[in-house]
């Protein structure tokens, strides 16, 4: 076995606390699609915070809201496509309005999005302009942070790296190690029982979403697994956005115990104010 591959395997199993599997390295869309659940319209009890990944395309902006709980168990909440040319202002206004909304939790409280990662691989200046005025802001009494991110093609790059200041706007740009992120996501898609790292998908997600989520596969080059599309032109926006959402979560480096304590405190206060809510 190539030594570099073995080093990566040990790192993946220990430092990342994820499961490395040999052989075929992806899950098929039919298997994932069969796992869709009906858990709306309220957020599941396990959701402690919301994050979002945002992808900029030539004629639209695509965004997914994900809920996370202990052990980074996750719930897909909504996949949103905002039509419009991102070279113009209107679609950015639509995005801003969308990111300011809240989602109702099953225990009655409302949760805003805590962290958002926006890819700057296309129209970087427009992304920097949008992010610059919104890097940290208050949304319904909560702190919301928005990050400009860019994926790295370096297969050994860690998922999160120290940000650099970019553009005339002096925005913090975070470079994401997309190879590591896709290894993590692929490993989690293979988990079949609810619990830590399990990925839940809502009934509303269509078949195309799962096709995009599984449209890449890994191959080994010089001892390192690299992720590439299964065919030329294969659409992978859903997978890319999963990477961005995971990046947003990791950038804020959540203290889960403290978050749970504050979450339960808000629920208790809400029920004291509205005792008719059980």
């Amino acid at each position: 076995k190539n030594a570099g591959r073995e080093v990566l395997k040990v790192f993946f199993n220990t430092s990342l606390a994820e499961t490395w599997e040999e052989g075929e390295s992806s899950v098929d869309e039919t298997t994932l699609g069969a796992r869709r659940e009906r858990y709306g319209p309220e957020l599941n009890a396990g959701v402690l915070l919301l994050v979002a990944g945002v992808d900029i395309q030539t004629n639209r902006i695509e965004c997914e809201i994900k809920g996370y709980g202990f052990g980074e168990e996750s719930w897909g909440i909504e996949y949103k496509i905002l039509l419009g040319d991102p070279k113009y202002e209107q679609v950015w206004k639509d995005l801003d309005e969308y990111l300011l909304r809240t989602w109702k939790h099953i225990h009655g409280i409302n949760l805003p999005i805590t962290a958002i990662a926006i890819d700057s691989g296309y129209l970087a200046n427009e992304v920097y302009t949008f992010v610059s005025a919104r890097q940290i802001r208050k949304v319904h009494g909560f702190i919301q942070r928005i990050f400009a991110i860019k994926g790295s093609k370096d297969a050994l790059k860690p998922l999160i790296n120290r940000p650099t200041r970019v553009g005339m706007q002096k925005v913090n740009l975070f470079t994401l190690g997309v190879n590591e992120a896709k290894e993590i996501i692929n490993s989690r898609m293979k988990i079949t029982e609810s619990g830590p790292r399990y990925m839940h998908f809502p009934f509303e997600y269509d078949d195309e979403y799962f096709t995009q989520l599984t449209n890449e596969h890994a191959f080994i080059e010089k001892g390192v697994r690299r992720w590439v599309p299964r065919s030329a032109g294969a659409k992978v926006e859903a997978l890319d956005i999963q990477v961005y959402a995971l990046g947003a979560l990791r950038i804020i480096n959540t203290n889960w115990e403290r978050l749970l304590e504050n979450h339960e405190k808000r629920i208790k206060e809400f029920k004291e104010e509205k005792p008719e809510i059980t």
Side-chain angles (χ1 to χ4, degrees), residues 125-139:
N125 188 62
E126 283 81 353
V127 172
Y128 299 159
T129 297
F130 181 84
V131 171
S132 63
R134 301 170 177 83
Q135 292 185 86
I136 182 166
R137 61 181 178 177
K138 278 281 189 76
V139 176

Side-chain angles (χ1 to χ4, degrees), residues 62-78:
E62 298 197 16
C63 175
E64 183 177 11
I65 312 300
K66 286 180 61 71
Y68 276 95
F70 264 101
E72 293 191 3
E73 184 172 7
S74 67
W75 289 262
I77 305 303
E78 186 172 54

Side-chain angles (χ1 to χ4, degrees), residues 92 116-120 123-136 145-150 161-175 251:
W92 292 101
I116 299 138
I118 305 179
D119 181 48
S120 63
L123 296 182
N125 188 62
E126 283 81 353
V127 172
Y128 299 159
T129 297
F130 181 84
V131 171
S132 63
R134 301 170 177 83
Q135 292 185 86
I136 182 166
R145 300 184 66 189
I146 303 183
F147 308 106
I149 58 96
K150 186 174 183 179
N161 298 270
R162 188 183 300 275
T164 56
R165 301 276 279 181
V166 297
M168 295 177 58
Q169 303 89 342
K170 302 300 182 185
V171 167
N172 286 323
L173 176 67
F174 287 84
T175 300
I251 290 171

Side-chain angles (χ1 to χ4, degrees), residues 18 38 41 55 78 112 161 187 194 225 256 275:
E18 304 288 343
R38 293 185 183 273
D55 190 40
E78 186 172 54
N161 298 270
S187 174
S194 295
R225 296 212 310 181
W256 291 100

Side-chain angles (χ1 to χ4, degrees), residues 83-97:
L83 298 177
D85 188 338
K87 292 178 182 177
Y88 301 101
E89 190 175 359
Q90 183 57 52
V91 71
W92 292 101
K93 289 182 177 179
D94 295 340
L95 176 64
D96 192 38
E97 181 179 340

Side-chain angles (χ1 to χ4, degrees), residues 16 52 62 72 77 83 99 144 148 157 168 186 205 251 255 259:
L16 299 184
E62 298 197 16
E72 293 191 3
I77 305 303
L83 298 177
L99 297 178
Q144 181 181 86
K157 197 87 167 175
M168 295 177 58
N186 184 66
Y205 281 14
I251 290 171
N255 182 322
L259 178 63

